Amino acid sequence: MRHALASGAARDTDLERIGRTLSLPSGASIEYLDAFYNSLDEDELANLHETYKTWEAEGNPDAARWADGLGNGLLILSNPEYGGSWESVPQDIRDTIRYGYEPDPNAEHPGEPLDRLDRLGAILGEANPQYRPGTEVGIEMSRVAGYMAGIPTYADPHIIPTPDPSYYDHAASTFLDIATRNTDTSYHLLTGTDVDGSPADFSRDEVLVPLLTREWADDGATLAGLTDWIAADALPADPGDPVAVIRAERAGEAAFGLAEVLSAPESEWNSDNNFNRFLHMPGAFREETDLTIGEVNPVAVRSFATALSPFVGDMVGSVDDATATSGFGELGPVPATRVFTLMNTDPAAGALLNGAAIAQATDFDRRFALEQLDGVNKYSYGTYSGRLQSLVEVGLSSTYENEKLVEQAAIDNRNQSRADAYAVAQTLVTGAVTALPGGVVTGPLVYSTGVLLQSEIVDAEGRYVGHPSGVEGFDSEMYLTETGAENTRRYNMISSLVDSGAIDTAQVSPGWLTDGSLVPRDLMEGRLLSDQVPDLLHEAGIESSAQTEYLRISNSGAGDLRNIVYADQRNGEQGFRDVLTNNVVPSGGERWNYS
């Protein structure tokens, strides 16, 4: 058959037979695929694909399925889960994937390797969505996509030919889309590891930074495939299932890798400041723009925020049983602030991550109160709650320092962002409760972009629509002032006791309740929270001294970050520029203060 294809002597019936075999509902055997693909060279395979596409255009009802079968079969052959392997893929195709994106500027036709990639991408792009590449092939495809994504931005046009960027967009998107169908591929890219767990033989930033800084035609929807799986795996549905536990560990490691790449002040690839580059995305040939990553690739940034949301507690140094996640490393206060700053460059992404942080802080306050009733003093929850509150505020401040908004515009935007975050937090706290060991009812332990829809922050098509309904009277003092923050924590504590039945609703004023629960925090008068709630908590079994100590520790936790960045004080611009952008971190500011 190879000789017949190469000479053009193959009959149409022969080509039809191949197409039918490759597109069998049960799939062709791995032995057939191995023999078939390794009997052809890449040119012959491309010619066969073009023949099927020609027949499809001429109206052959089966030709599209046969073209799909060519892509499907190649992915099957590459994937150990289907019985294939990287070594089973024909050598010339492996060479094209691994080396085809490194054109020799001195060659007679330096663009030829890229043409071969484009042609291979056309074949693989026909593969049906349910077919996934093997991890090794997926990694190499991602390297292809990263290189092609970076060519118009990073390459010297006098050395490497740079045709219309759309040429690269299509091919790079195809390879990235196929590669990220395999979540193991994404895991290894984000963690910078090889399939055997050893350090990868490529620079993680060299692949990821061009992908993240490329202005994709689909607003980053394909790029979002890199992280779309993380939140779903972050918390094992059954902690006794070792497979689910391993997946959760890997999700945490991948999320940490993403946070590292986003927050790096010096790239491991070319020493550029990753964080600054994501705030000032590159245009053609390295020219910086005033566009941020959230403005250029909003869909991808929303996926990143979703992936990171389950780990907000880990970002502020929570340990032991404080959170239900695993695998996320120690990030530190400044990198964590950089991550929040970048997520705030897209309003919907910022709402999700900030909302998750407020919800997790709420969760810590509620758990402190419930565990106090059992004689357990978890004052560390106050530290984490305060840090999360501060992280939201400092991240918002830093985003608007970067945008250099005038004072009133910054205030208005930050207030709206807080309102959006509050709406997300309320949805998480009230809609995602889980019974923890000991019967403690708490939340949030489930995160998804679905909470945005539930909060009316985005419409059914995923577009951001702004201020959610129901929080028009949002009181920014809930989090911005020490008194407001303390009252919010008192509210969280008493609401947990009311919800759990530890405080009888008959003990509280009827005006405080709606359908048996406390009215939302923004509808509770600060005076009532300051004057009456402490006595109710005391009567329920939480000593006044314990309340005072928890609030003191929470305020101290909130000061941890502010004392490093100063982003919410008068010299905030200097703090943003020196600490976050230029990495001039004060002594002792590299880690959270555990004292």
Side-chain angles (χ1 to χ4, degrees):
M1 178 55 66
R2 173 172 184 171
H3 177 73
L5 285 172
S7 64
R11 296 171 299 180
D12 286 356
T13 53
D14 295 325
L15 305 186
E16 290 170 1
R17 187 180 71 255
I18 293 170
R20 284 195 298 271
T21 303
L22 290 173
S23 56
L24 285 171
S26 59
S29 70
I30 196 68
E31 292 78 14
Y32 175 88
L33 297 175
D34 195 356
F36 171 71
Y37 286 102
N38 281 287
S39 71
L40 304 175
D41 63 28
E42 191 177 336
D43 292 333
E44 291 160 349
L45 186 64
N47 291 338
L48 179 58
H49 174 258
E50 290 169 7
T51 298
Y52 289 151
K53 296 303 291 181
T54 299
W55 290 355
E56 179 185 350
E58 293 172 350
N60 186 316
D62 299 313
R65 183 162 45 85
W66 298 341
D68 293 351
L70 275 179
N72 296 340
L74 200 49
L75 293 184
I76 291 171
L77 190 62
S78 77
N79 195 333
E81 292 183 21
Y82 306 136
S85 67
W86 165 250
E87 290 74 19
S88 299
V89 176
Q91 185 65 55
D92 56 348
I93 292 179
R94 278 187 278 160
D95 289 344
T96 294
I97 295 175
R98 175 164 280 178
Y99 306 115
Y101 53 90
E102 298 177 355
D104 179 358
N106 299 316
E108 183 178 353
H109 303 290
E112 183 177 345
L114 294 174
D115 292 337
R116 294 178 69 82
L117 271 174
D118 193 45
R119 191 170 57 182
L120 179 59
I123 297 171
L124 291 169
E126 298 285 342
N128 300 124
Q130 67 267 32
Y131 290 93
R132 295 173 288 112
T135 303
E136 289 183 82
V137 174
I139 291 173
E140 295 301 333
M141 286 181 179
S142 300
R143 295 179 68 179
V144 168
Y147 185 85
M148 297 184 82
I151 284 178
T153 298
Y154 297 103
D156 184 336
H158 302 293
I159 296 178
I160 296 178
T162 54
D164 189 305
S166 62
Y167 175 93
Y168 295 107
D169 265 344
H170 177 73
S173 293
T174 297
F175 282 107
L176 182 62
D177 174 56
I178 295 170
T180 56
R181 294 178 188 178
N182 185 332
T183 57
D184 286 342
T185 289
S186 298
Y187 166 81
H188 289 294
L189 288 174
L190 290 165
T191 58
T193 57
D194 208 341
V195 290
D196 62 359
S198 63
D201 62 356
F202 60 87
S203 163
R204 174 175 61 181
D205 282 2
E206 187 175 5
V207 178
L208 292 180
V209 173
L211 290 175
L212 269 58
T213 54
R214 176 77 179 192
E215 186 172 358
W216 297 99
D218 61 1
D219 291 336
T222 301
L223 179 61
L226 186 69
T227 54
D228 276 346
W229 58 279
I230 292 177
D233 286 355
L235 297 153
D238 178 6
D241 178 1
V243 174
V245 170
I246 290 172
R247 287 213 314 264
E249 182 83 15
R250 288 165 68 86
E253 291 169 353
F256 182 65
L258 171 66
E260 284 185 309
V261 172
L262 292 172
S263 63
E266 184 174 338
S267 173
E268 65 182 38
W269 166 36
N270 60 6
S271 299
D272 277 359
N273 185 321
N274 281 0
F275 172 67
N276 187 63
R277 180 157 291 277
F278 297 137
L279 286 175
H280 305 283
M281 295 281 274
F285 309 121
R286 283 187 167 272
E287 294 177 2
E288 285 191 349
T289 70
D290 286 331
L291 296 176
T292 63
I293 189 172
E295 293 169 309
V296 171
N297 291 317
V299 178
V301 172
R302 290 167 198 173
S303 175
F304 300 161
T306 304
L308 293 165
S309 289
F311 304 98
V312 288
D314 300 275
M315 289 189 196
V316 295
S318 61
V319 294
D320 301 329
D321 62 346
T323 59
T325 52
S326 59
F328 198 91
E330 185 175 327
L331 192 61
V334 173
T337 305
R338 293 186 183 122
V339 169
F340 270 68
T341 300
L342 291 175
M343 295 302 98
N344 283 322
T345 61
D346 173 71
L352 179 58
L353 192 62
N354 291 328
I358 294 172
Q360 183 65 76
T362 300
D363 181 46
F364 284 134
D365 298 339
R366 291 168 61 92
R367 286 164 65 183
F368 171 78
L370 290 167
E371 292 181 21
Q372 272 284 305
L373 300 185
D374 293 329
V376 178
N377 297 314
K378 281 293 184 73
Y379 292 113
S380 59
Y381 289 167
T383 298
Y384 307 142
S385 175
R387 287 175 182 171
L388 284 165
Q389 170 217 333
S390 189
L391 186 55
V392 169
E393 289 303 326
V394 175
L396 285 170
S397 295
S398 297
T399 301
Y400 296 114
E401 291 292 353
N402 172 67
E403 294 178 357
K404 296 181 172 60
L405 296 176
V406 297
E407 185 175 0
Q408 190 57 51
I411 292 172
D412 292 343
N413 282 349
R414 277 180 283 195
N415 281 341
Q416 177 162 321
S417 295
R418 290 187 190 102
D420 293 349
Y422 175 71
V424 171
Q426 288 301 106
T427 303
L428 285 168
V429 170
T430 60
V433 295
T434 300
L436 293 181
V440 177
V441 178
T442 184
L445 294 181
V446 179
Y447 300 89
S448 135
T449 50
V451 301
L452 296 175
L453 289 169
Q454 295 172 34
S455 307
E456 303 175 10
I457 291 174
V458 299
D459 63 17
E461 285 72 42
R463 292 181 300 241
Y464 178 76
V465 294
H467 205 54
S469 63
V471 290
E472 292 294 334
F474 183 80
D475 179 7
S476 62
E477 287 191 358
M478 283 169 52
Y479 297 99
L480 283 179
T481 66
E482 185 172 307
T483 300
E486 288 181 351
N487 281 336
T488 296
R489 293 191 176 93
R490 292 187 180 103
Y491 173 88
N492 294 338
M493 286 190 273
I494 192 172
S495 66
S496 68
L497 300 188
V498 170
D499 291 345
S500 69
I503 290 182
D504 190 335
T505 54
Q507 293 180 258
V508 301
S509 170
W512 291 18
L513 300 173
T514 176
D515 297 327
S517 297
L518 288 186
V519 298
R521 162 67 179 92
D522 58 319
L523 299 181
M524 289 280 288
E525 289 185 33
R527 176 181 55 80
L528 297 177
L529 291 167
S530 298
D531 297 347
Q532 298 186 29
V533 167
D535 289 338
L536 288 173
L537 292 173
H538 179 78
E539 292 170 7
I542 302 178
E543 296 292 338
S544 299
S545 58
Q547 296 179 45
T548 301
E549 182 67 2
Y550 185 78
L551 296 177
R552 184 192 70 78
I553 289 175
S554 299
N555 289 334
S556 178
D560 279 358
L561 184 61
R562 289 199 300 265
N563 292 338
I564 296 169
V565 181
Y566 302 108
D568 61 345
Q569 298 180 16
R570 291 184 61 185
N571 59 343
E573 182 177 348
Q574 180 179 347
F576 165 76
R577 185 176 61 251
D578 290 346
V579 178
L580 295 185
T581 305
N582 298 330
N583 203 37
V584 184
V585 181
S587 177
E590 297 85 1
R591 300 181 61 204
W592 293 104
N593 176 14
Y594 290 100
S595 61

